Structures are given as structure tokens and as C-alpha cells.
Amino acid sequence: MFSWLGSDDRRRKDPEVFQTVSEGLKKLYKSKLLPLEEHYRFHEFHSPALEDADFDNKPMILLVGQYSTGKTTFIRYLLEQDFPGMRIGPEPTTDSFIAVMQGEVEGIVPGNALVVDPKKPFRKLNAFGNAFLNRFVCAQLPNPVLESISVIDTPGILSGEKQRISRGYDFAAVLEWFAERVDRIILLFDAHKLDISDEFSEVIKALKNHEDKMRVVLNKADQIETQQLMRVYGALMWSLGKIVNTPEVIRVYIGSFWSHPLLIPDNRKLFEAEEQDLFRDIQSLPRNAALRKLNDLIKRARLAKVHAYIISSLKKEMPSVFGKDNKKKELVNNLAEIYGRIEREHQISPGDFPNLKRMQDQLQAQDFSKFQPLKSKLLEVVDDMLAHDIAQLMVLVRQEEIQRPVQMVKGGAFEGTLQGPFGHGYGEGAGEGIDDAEWVVARDKPMYDEIFYTLSPVDGKITGANAKKEMVRSKLPNSVLGKIWKLADIDKDGMLDDEEFALANHLIKVKLEGHELPNELPAHLLPPSKRKVV
């Protein structure tokens, strides 16, 4: 008689079956989350509906910063190529949002044409009107870097109220729209201009829910001395701490991201190490893109649930006939109390609620009589999606990572530092002497031999116990000395001859100088007498 109840239960318990993560995300969004969003007018308050292109597009990087911090130059540095519409100068030059993307031929696509292209993830930007679309273009060009990622260049942020008014569109709202959809947000600062203007502060606050995507680049750091750089870095962290209200510290990369000679080369090694860290972070984006989209869908679902509770609560409190306007004002003013009640009734974290002041402003323009009452079935479907379907997609993400070859950004600036003598750390630490004809350890071997012969060698070898007495003088921890022993004891006989002892001391020196030890002994460090054996 009630067989439909059983089938409905089974449908809820059995998660959907998907072939790919992208297909799964699209299907879950359209069938389970979108109905809830539409029923409670989520798109009018928070974010437009997602489209297929939002799930299929390449990872995107959003560059944000005040004017003349080097945003456009940074893109030029990554691509090692000019792109259409590029303008660089000390004055505010970039007055548009430029999406730099892969294309077969170089060219510019204007904003009004972009928002009708179903293959591009920009269709919903139509809501910001012509004032914005006239300031939005897509620069297309063939470039190996752009085969893996896309980059969004933004207008430089100026200080003062006039700048905010004269734009003609809500700059912070546009950046927030991009922030929801990009994989990485890079805030650029000029080491000479650390002041954070009112609009820049507003922009950073608009990115509040996306701290996990944010990175900071302190650019043009080659123009100041080491002592000044330390002070500038401290001042930057202090300024950010006042705006970004999180206990975690945002990762800051220090460097000079352009292809000109360093003005003050004292910190060259620091800049090289920081650049490599930033490049590794960017190169990880294609590999983690599916996980990022999954994470964003979960965040969106949680917000949509809270929004449904808020709207249905407001609907429940409204009178059916008289006094609607007064009641609306009262409800908007007491929205904080409604938040608290929903939080207690439904065990929702305070961090899941939308910004109170912004929600109050948006509710002023809404007709509460058109709001919908609570529909439990819509919420149950979303809960089921979060409990079962998302878990299945997580498994699929891992399977795709294993099956696919390692995805990395290639070409441009990423290529120059991968291999060859200008690769990071080439010829340093354990890599010292890699191109030398002679064994690099031989330089200091006479000094190591003197120590070796004081340790009572028998048949040309010292025992592990005697070697330990000398090696612990380095004050390195046992875990490190144990690794050095494994690397130096090439014939694995538990003893060291004079060459192996010299090699062990060389590796100790490498570690004491601050370099990492290799997992396997490089060919150039093998003692000459052991090379044939190995």
C-alpha cells in the first residue's frame, strides 16, 4: 500500500553513481541544491546560479592589489609573453578586468560577448550591467601556461571615496563573485607602498569567506635593503592582521616578479626560494581543482540551508493581512535574534550565517509576502547530498588523482627553473660539485683523514661506535645522523672506510649549512673507488 515510501527511503540511502567528479558535481547541484536555492530566492541575496562552465573551467587565479603593485607585470612574468590589452606603467594603467585565457589566436573578446558564451564561466556577470561589462575583456593567446590555468587581472585600487563612486558598478561585489569561482586569490603589495586604502580594505573584507584561497605577494622587494625589508614585512603582517580577522597567518611570498636585474641582489637566495614556493603552490592548482570545486559546493550548500531557515523564519513571523510594513521593519532590526534562534534550534555554527549588516540591507528591498515557508523535503535532499553523495565524490576525486598523470603548470617562467644550472638549488648543498670532474669531497678529505686515523681503524675501517663518537659532535639529532650514516655506508657493512667517513662529514657540513639531505646519494658524491661497485 505504501510502497512509494520504501522506494523513497532507498533512494535517499543509496548515493548517486557518477563516472567523473565534474559530471557528479553538475548533477548534484542541478538535482539537489538548485531547487532549494530557487525556492528561497538564494540567487537574489548571495550568488547567481552555477552553470556547467563553472564546473568544467580550468583553475583560475585572481590578482588583486592597489595600482602599480605589479599585477600585470606578474602575469607577463609568468607567461614570458605580452598579452592583448596589456598596459604597464607607474600610473594606474589597467582600468579593466582582463581574463587572460588560452586561445588558438591572439585577440580580445569584449565583455558583452563574453557573457553570452556558454563555454566561458562568465555568463552570470551580466547582472552587474553595462558599466561593468564595458570594463571587462578576455585576452586570448596561445601559451603553454594557459593550457593549465587562467589568470584574472583587475583594475588597480586607488584610495579615496571618489574612486569608489566613479566606477559605476560595485567593485567589491564583482571581486566577491570571482572569489567564489577562482582557485587562488593573490593579493599584491608594493614594498614601497604598504598603505591599505579604504577600498582595498573593503575588498579584503569582501573576500572574508575565502581565506583558504588567499596568498600575499610582497613585490618589488629587490628595491630595498635587508634591514628595511624586515621592517616592511613586519608592517605588512601587522596591517593584514587588522583586516583579516583570522588566527591563521596568510602565507606571504617575498620577491621581485619581473624579468629585470635585481636592483639590490643581497637577498637573491631568499627571492629564489620564495619564488619556487609560490610556483609550487600555483602548479598544484590543476591537481587540486576538482577538490576545490567540491569544497566550494559544500560551502554553498551550507549557506543555502541557513538562508532557507532565515527566509522561512521571516515568512512565519509575518502577519497575514495588517501591519506588514511595521512587522517587516521589526524583523529586519531583530535579525540578530532570529540568527540566534535558528542557531540554537538547528545546531548551526555561527560561521555559517551570512553577514548580518549586509543581509539587513538586502532584506529592506524584499517583499516578505513572497517568501516561502519551510519545506522540509528540500532540506532533507540537501542533507542527504552532504551525508552520502559528497562522500562518494570524495572517493572518486582520489581515484581520478591516481589514474591521471601528474597535472602541473608548464611553460613560461615555470620552465626556466625546473632543470639545468638555473634550477633552484642547483650546485648548492648536496648538489655542490655536480659538474666537477673531481670528487667534491676530496677538497676537505685531508682534514677528515686526520680525524679518521685517530679513531683506531682496523683493516682501513672504523666501527659504527667509533664513528658515532665523532659524528655526534655536530650536535645534529640522531634521526639526521642516522640518515647520513645510511647514505655514507655505501657497501652496507656497518663500518666506514676513509672515503665513506669523509663523505659522512661532508653531508654533516651540508646539513649544518642549512641545506636538505638527499633521499638517495647523488652520483657525483659517490667515492671514486665505490663507483664501479655500485
Side-chain angles (χ1 to χ4, degrees):
M1 180 180 172
F2 297 109
S3 60
W4 58 274
L5 279 173
S7 66
D8 191 53
D9 281 347
R10 278 196 301 275
R11 193 160 53 248
R12 253 204 311 274
K13 285 174 187 171
D14 296 337
E16 300 262 4
V17 178
F18 309 114
Q19 299 302 315
T20 66
V21 176
S22 179
E23 176 219 326
L25 289 170
K26 287 184 214 170
K27 196 170 177 182
L28 285 180
Y29 177 69
K30 287 177 183 173
S31 64
K32 299 197 173 183
L33 184 54
L34 186 58
L36 180 74
E37 292 182 354
E38 289 174 338
H39 194 71
Y40 293 105
R41 306 169 79 164
F42 178 86
H43 307 136
E44 295 176 31
F45 287 85
H46 303 289
S47 172
L50 299 177
E51 298 194 327
D52 286 356
D54 291 310
F55 297 105
D56 294 333
N57 67 308
K58 296 170 188 170
M60 292 194 290
I61 299 172
L62 179 68
L63 298 181
V64 183
Q66 298 183 160
Y67 78 93
S68 194
T69 52
K71 296 185 298 296
T72 307
T73 308
F74 182 83
I75 300 174
R76 169 73 182 77
Y77 182 72
L78 289 185
L79 303 183
E80 291 187 343
Q81 180 182 350
D82 291 349
F83 57 88
M86 183 183 89
R87 287 170 61 213
I88 295 172
E91 76 284 7
T93 48
T94 304
D95 62 346
S96 303
F97 282 80
I98 304 176
V100 186
M101 306 181 84
Q102 174 73 5
E104 292 182 5
V105 291
E106 282 196 25
I108 288 182
V109 182
N112 282 292
L114 265 180
V115 295
V116 294
D117 185 351
K119 292 181 180 177
K120 296 277 194 298
F122 304 124
R123 281 161 60 97
K124 296 298 180 179
L125 283 169
N126 194 42
F128 292 103
N130 270 332
F132 167 71
L133 295 178
N134 292 335
R135 289 274 176 267
F136 178 45
V137 297
C138 176
Q140 294 186 322
L141 69 156
N143 187 282
V145 174
L146 298 176
E147 290 174 9
S148 306
I149 57 172
S150 302
V151 188
I152 313 294
D153 193 10
T154 61
I157 299 169
L158 296 172
S159 56
E161 186 67 21
K162 183 183 175 185
Q163 173 67 14
R164 255 202 316 276
I165 295 167
S166 65
R167 287 198 191 275
Y169 60 90
D170 191 337
F171 182 67
V174 172
L175 281 179
E176 192 173 355
W177 186 94
F178 275 111
E180 286 181 14
R181 288 156 178 80
V182 300
D183 296 72
R184 189 65 76 236
I185 303 164
I186 297 181
L187 305 177
L188 278 100
F189 289 87
D190 184 338
H192 285 278
K193 297 196 301 265
L194 276 189
D195 60 306
I196 298 179
S197 67
D198 294 342
E199 190 179 31
F200 197 16
S201 176
E202 186 184 314
V203 162
I204 296 173
K205 286 174 183 173
L207 306 176
K208 181 178 181 296
N209 295 323
H210 307 284
E211 287 97 344
D212 57 320
K213 299 179 181 179
M214 285 167 65
R215 304 288 184 272
V216 173
V217 168
L218 181 57
N219 203 10
K220 305 184 183 181
D222 65 317
Q223 298 177 17
I224 54 178
E225 302 281 353
T226 305
Q227 188 180 11
Q228 288 177 301
L229 181 59
M230 289 174 64
R231 290 175 180 162
V232 166
Y233 178 80
L236 174 62
M237 297 305 289
W238 181 80
S239 300
L240 286 172
K242 292 175 70 179
I243 299 170
V244 184
N245 296 317
T246 57
E248 298 85 9
V249 178
I250 295 177
R251 176 68 165 96
V252 178
Y253 299 93
I254 303 169
S256 180
F257 295 92
W258 66 342
S259 52
H260 293 260
L262 298 175
L263 294 179
I264 301 173
D266 298 4
N267 297 308
R268 183 186 185 103
K269 284 196 173 182
L270 170 67
F271 298 158
E272 286 175 359
E274 292 285 283
E275 180 183 88
Q276 285 306 304
D277 285 352
L278 178 59
F279 281 5
R280 272 195 291 271
D281 187 63
I282 293 173
Q283 285 179 311
S284 72
L285 296 181
R287 189 171 64 251
N288 298 326
L291 204 54
R292 193 276 304 168
K293 287 169 186 169
L294 184 62
N295 185 54
D296 283 355
L297 186 71
I298 295 168
K299 278 201 284 189
R300 189 182 179 98
R302 290 165 72 95
L303 180 60
K305 274 182 61 184
V306 172
H307 178 78
Y309 286 128
I310 294 168
I311 297 299
S312 59
S313 293
L314 294 172
K315 173 69 175 177
K316 188 178 177 182
E317 296 288 334
M318 284 295 287
S320 54
V321 184
F322 301 111
K324 289 185 178 180
D325 288 344
N326 289 336
K327 188 64 176 176
K328 175 182 171 180
K329 287 178 186 174
E330 181 191 324
L331 289 171
V332 171
N333 290 334
N334 297 334
L335 189 61
E337 293 177 18
I338 295 170
Y339 274 21
R341 191 170 70 244
I342 294 169
E343 185 185 329
R344 289 189 299 274
E345 284 179 13
H346 302 284
Q347 289 82 48
I348 295 170
S349 166
D352 287 350
F353 284 84
N355 179 274
L356 179 65
K357 177 71 172 66
R358 184 175 167 186
M359 193 70 177
Q360 286 174 321
D361 292 342
Q362 288 173 320
L363 286 169
Q364 299 283 3
Q366 293 287 335
D367 182 355
F368 284 22
S369 63
K370 293 182 180 177
F371 287 172
Q372 299 293 332
L374 192 66
K375 194 172 181 182
S376 300
K377 191 164 184 181
L378 287 173
L379 288 159
E380 285 170 12
V381 168
V382 173
D383 284 335
D384 176 61
M385 178 189 85
L386 292 170
H388 301 107
D389 298 311
I390 293 294
Q392 191 207 355
L393 275 182
M394 281 293 294
V395 174
L396 201 55
V397 166
R398 296 301 175 208
Q399 287 176 353
E400 285 190 1
E401 284 179 358
I402 293 167
Q403 290 166 2
R404 288 180 181 174
V406 177
Q407 294 175 289
M408 287 184 73
V409 183
K410 295 179 181 176
F414 299 95
E415 213 59 25
T417 57
L418 282 179
Q419 295 173 337
F422 295 99
H424 179 61
Y426 189 90
E428 298 173 9
E432 184 186 355
I434 191 169
D435 295 324
D436 294 355
E438 293 185 9
W439 188 37
V440 67
V441 183
R443 298 173 193 168
D444 298 320
K445 191 169 181 294
M447 178 178 66
Y448 300 143
D449 282 348
E450 286 183 21
I451 302 169
F452 178 79
Y453 288 110
T454 65
L455 297 173
S456 310
V458 177
D459 297 330
K461 295 191 175 189
I462 58 172
T463 62
N466 285 344
K468 180 181 178 181
K469 290 176 188 174
E470 180 60 31
M471 291 171 71
V472 293
R473 291 188 181 182
S474 65
K475 299 180 183 176
L476 288 171
N478 283 349
S479 57
V480 174
L481 293 175
K483 185 174 183 179
I484 289 171
W485 174 271
K486 286 180 181 176
L487 291 169
D489 185 14
I490 294 162
D491 52 16
K492 308 300 178 195
D493 63 353
M495 304 177 82
L496 299 182
D497 62 21
D498 60 326
E499 287 183 330
E500 290 173 331
F501 180 75
L503 174 59
N505 279 279
H506 178 77
L507 292 172
I508 288 171
K509 186 180 86 165
V510 165
K511 187 63 183 174
L512 291 174
E513 287 174 352
H515 302 286
E516 289 301 315
L517 294 171
N519 291 321
E520 292 183 9
L521 193 68
H524 72 280
L525 287 184
L526 277 170
S529 65
K530 302 283 193 299
R531 290 178 187 177
K532 289 180 182 178
V533 176
V534 173

